[in-house]
């Protein structure tokens, strides 16, 4: 993934997809794309495959709040509902679609309520930064969808700390608002939970954090040391080879 982000030949898409086209089919990641709301229909297709092949796999389509105002969201949820497909539409409500507050673009107070229009269940986690609460909700929803009860919508409240892009100065929100959400850091909150419940010690968590940091550094080094693609491959993988 790091190599793909750097446009290197060793990347998941051979350096020709970049940050918008990351996938790992072996791990069940069917891929990202650069179209807002573009993943919904892909998820429905993936769910149809699971239903057709008779697997017990559940597909999860992740998106932000404003992507639910795209036509693709409504078309995809409607089709998934009609065909009773094993797919969960997981909405991370971080309040802003780039710089527009969700209250300016959506009339309802909670997006999970849109499930009612399609005759499917909708679920809500008030604190999307609470890993335990999100896990508990998803355990229930995944079990229901896997049991053949059809698709569902899950909405969790969270926040985007940084700008939508490097060009986003964040002038549409206050520093106080951002700082208040940073204080709800889900990683720190989960660490506190693990310690208070005696599940892990400070030393164990520190070792884990160091191991993760080392893994990331290795990935970055791999990307930096990898070669760029040769110009000669520019037209490869455009069409399916016979």
């Amino acid at each position: 993934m790091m190599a793909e982000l750097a446009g290197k030949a060793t990347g998941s898409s051979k350096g020709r997809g970049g940050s918008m086209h990351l996938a790992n089919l072996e791990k069940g990641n069917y891929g990202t794309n650069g179209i807002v709301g573009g993943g919904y229909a892909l998820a429905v297709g993936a769910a149809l495959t699971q239903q057709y092949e008779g697997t017990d796999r559940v597909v999860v389509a992740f998106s932000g709040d404003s992507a639910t105002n795209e036509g693709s969201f409504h078309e995809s949820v409607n089709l998934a509902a009609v065909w009773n497909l094993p797919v969960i539409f997981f909405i991370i409500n971080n309040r802003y679609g780039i710089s527009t507050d969700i209250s300016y673009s959506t009339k309802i107070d909670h997006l999970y309520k849109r499930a009612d229009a399609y005759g499917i269940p909708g679920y809500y986690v008030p604190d999307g930064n609470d890993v335990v609460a999100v896990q508990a909700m998803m355990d229930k929803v995944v079990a229901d969808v896997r049991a053949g009860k059809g698709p569902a919508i899950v909405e969790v409240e969270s926040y985007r700390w940084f700008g939508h892009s490097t060009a986003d100065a964040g002038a549409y929100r206050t520093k106080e608002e951002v700082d208040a959400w940073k204080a709800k850091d889900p990683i720190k909150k989960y660490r506190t939970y693990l310690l208070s419940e005696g599940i892990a010690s400070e030393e164990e968590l520190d070792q884990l954090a160091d191991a993760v940091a080392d893994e990331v550094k290795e990935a970055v080094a791999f990307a930096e040391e990898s070669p760029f693609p040769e110009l000669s491959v520019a037209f490869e993988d455009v069409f399916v080879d016979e």
Side-chain angles (χ1 to χ4, degrees):
M1 184 183 74
M2 284 293 185
E4 188 62 37
L5 292 174
K8 298 300 185 72
T10 54
S12 57
S13 293
K14 303 179 183 179
R16 283 170 271 166
S19 62
M20 295 294 185
H21 299 93
L22 300 171
N24 189 327
L25 299 183
E26 292 76 19
K27 299 285 188 181
N29 183 339
Y30 274 48
T32 56
N33 63 85
I35 301 172
V36 175
Y40 297 129
L42 299 179
V44 169
L48 177 61
T49 300
Q50 308 316 312
Q51 184 186 73
Y52 181 80
E53 294 184 347
T55 76
D56 66 348
R57 294 173 180 166
V58 173
V59 178
V60 183
F62 295 93
S63 76
D65 44 278
S66 289
T68 63
N69 287 331
E70 293 286 337
S72 58
F73 173 79
H74 302 280
E75 294 166 350
S76 299
V77 175
N78 183 67
L79 188 60
V82 170
W83 287 351
N84 206 51
L85 298 179
V87 57
I88 299 169
F89 299 93
F90 191 96
I91 305 167
I92 305 169
N93 188 345
N94 59 39
R95 299 192 56 81
Y96 295 100
I98 302 181
S99 58
T100 302
D101 190 296
I102 189 67
S103 64
Y104 289 115
S105 61
T106 306
K107 185 69 173 178
I108 58 176
D109 55 349
H110 291 297
L111 299 172
Y112 77 94
K113 293 180 179 180
R114 286 181 163 170
D116 291 341
Y118 302 101
I120 63 175
Y123 303 91
Y124 176 63
V125 181
D127 187 358
N129 288 347
D130 185 338
V131 176
V132 178
V134 175
Q135 175 73 49
M137 177 62 77
M138 287 300 286
D139 282 345
K140 167 183 165 39
V141 180
V142 168
D144 286 347
V145 174
R146 181 170 283 137
K149 295 183 179 181
I153 292 177
V154 176
E155 176 190 2
V156 304
E157 293 274 357
S158 190
Y159 197 76
R160 169 169 53 80
W161 290 3
F162 304 103
H164 177 77
S165 69
T166 55
D168 182 356
Y172 47 89
R173 55 187 182 176
T174 65
K175 181 178 183 299
E176 289 73 21
E177 178 180 304
V178 176
D179 288 343
W181 276 96
K182 283 185 176 181
K184 302 175 184 179
D185 184 337
I187 296 178
K188 291 181 178 178
K189 179 175 291 190
Y190 189 47
R191 181 187 180 96
T192 299
Y193 168 81
L194 293 174
L195 292 173
S196 64
E197 294 295 317
I199 298 173
S201 66
E202 290 273 7
E203 182 181 9
E204 288 173 323
L205 295 179
D206 288 343
Q207 289 176 348
L208 180 60
D210 290 341
V212 170
D214 289 340
E215 187 175 353
V216 172
K217 289 178 182 177
E218 290 176 7
V220 171
F222 172 78
E224 292 176 339
E225 295 166 2
S226 295
F228 285 102
E230 296 292 337
L231 291 178
S232 59
V233 303
F235 295 102
E236 290 182 5
D237 303 317
V238 177
F239 300 102
V240 176
D241 295 329
E242 293 293 341

